[in-house]
Amino acid sequence: MSSLFQDREGNIWVATSRGIDNFHDIGVASFSTRQGLSADQVNSVLASRDGTVWIGNYGLDILRSGKITSIQPRNGLPGREMTSLLEDRAGRLWVGIDQELSVYEQGKFTKIHARDGSPLGTVRAMTEDVDGSIWAATSGHSAENRNRLLRIQDLKIREEISSPQLPLANTLAADPHGGVWLGLASGGLARYR
């Protein structure tokens, strides 16, 4: 199991190494390549307000009304591996993809660029705060691309927190009183304000 989500209807969505499972009451609906997923390795899942389920794996799969469609590099996807998904208050889909971050709106992807043009790193988690800023926790393997916490407004990076002491975060949650909570890979919890 790599991800878990409960939607508004009480359904539990579990991302596994064999696809994505949906638990509701007693029944389980499984979705894998047999049902149309582009791959069985699901990295992220998001149920949007309109009832669409976005599934990030080696492509961006879309589950609507029991049918699966897919956005792939051949039809506009600006990368291959989805790492994180978020729907903001405006209904835009934020997609961590490869070592980058893009926003999907009206059938088009817009890339979020680092101030210096370097790759952002793997987007591990995202959240939207009370001010409408998007926060993204990223990780990388080089000295220039280490763990970072990014604050994004108007599709531009406005703040970048990066230091050797910044812990690796797997999840983010906005604090209703300002700032953001980080669920750490080490099992701890941190707060940035």
Side-chain angles (χ1 to χ4, degrees), residues 24 43 48 73 76 98 111-112 115 132 146-147 185 187 191:
H24 181 79
N43 295 322
S48 60
D98 295 335
K111 190 181 281 191
I112 304 299
R115 292 177 179 173
R146 60 183 170 258
N147 300 338
R191 181 175 179 206

Side-chain angles (χ1 to χ4, degrees), residues 129-130 173-181 191 193:
D129 71 13
V130 293
D175 186 324
H177 303 291
V180 58
W181 289 93
R191 181 175 179 206
R193 243 185 143 166

